[in-house]
């Protein structure tokens, strides 16, 4: 996925756009919401990060559950 490549390259804006495309194609992707949260957090968009990490956690994605308390303060 291009979003993951952009994350590794510290191109967080591009990564966020790619992960948003993923969700538009598959709105049931808990990993997609997790990745949006990750990119948003790195961009210091804390409300967007929190919103998406919560969605991912509610969908049952364990890594999101594990870090939700760090993202949503």
């Amino acid at each position: 996925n291009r979003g993951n490549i952009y994350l590794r390259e510290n191109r967080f804006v591009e990564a966020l756009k790619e992960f948003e495309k993923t969700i538009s194609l598959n709105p049931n992707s808990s990993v997609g919401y997790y990745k949006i949260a990750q990119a948003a957090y790195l961009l210091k968009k804390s409300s967007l990060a929190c919103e998406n990490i919560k969605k991912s956690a509610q969908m049952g994605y364990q890594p999101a559950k594990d870090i939700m308390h760090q993202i949503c303060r």
Side-chain angles (χ1 to χ4, degrees):
N1 176 306
R2 272 187 274 178
N4 289 320
I5 293 168
Y6 290 146
L7 271 184
R8 283 192 297 271
E9 294 175 348
N10 296 325
R11 296 169 60 189
F12 306 131
V13 172
E14 293 97 330
L16 181 59
K17 288 177 184 175
E18 287 298 319
F19 297 136
E20 287 172 338
K21 285 181 196 175
T22 298
I23 290 301
S24 71
L25 297 172
N26 182 5
N28 295 318
S29 173
S30 60
V31 176
Y33 288 109
Y34 178 85
K35 291 295 191 171
I36 288 173
Q38 188 178 21
Y41 182 79
L42 292 167
L43 287 166
K44 300 189 182 341
K45 296 183 176 201
S46 35
S47 61
L48 181 63
C50 181
E51 173 188 329
N52 283 279
I53 204 75
K54 282 181 179 178
K55 283 182 189 176
S56 180
Q58 289 168 351
M59 296 172 93
Y61 191 56
Q62 190 60 47
K65 292 178 184 181
D66 294 342
I67 66 163
M68 189 169 66
H69 68 280
Q70 294 172 324
I71 303 287
C72 302
R73 295 180 187 211

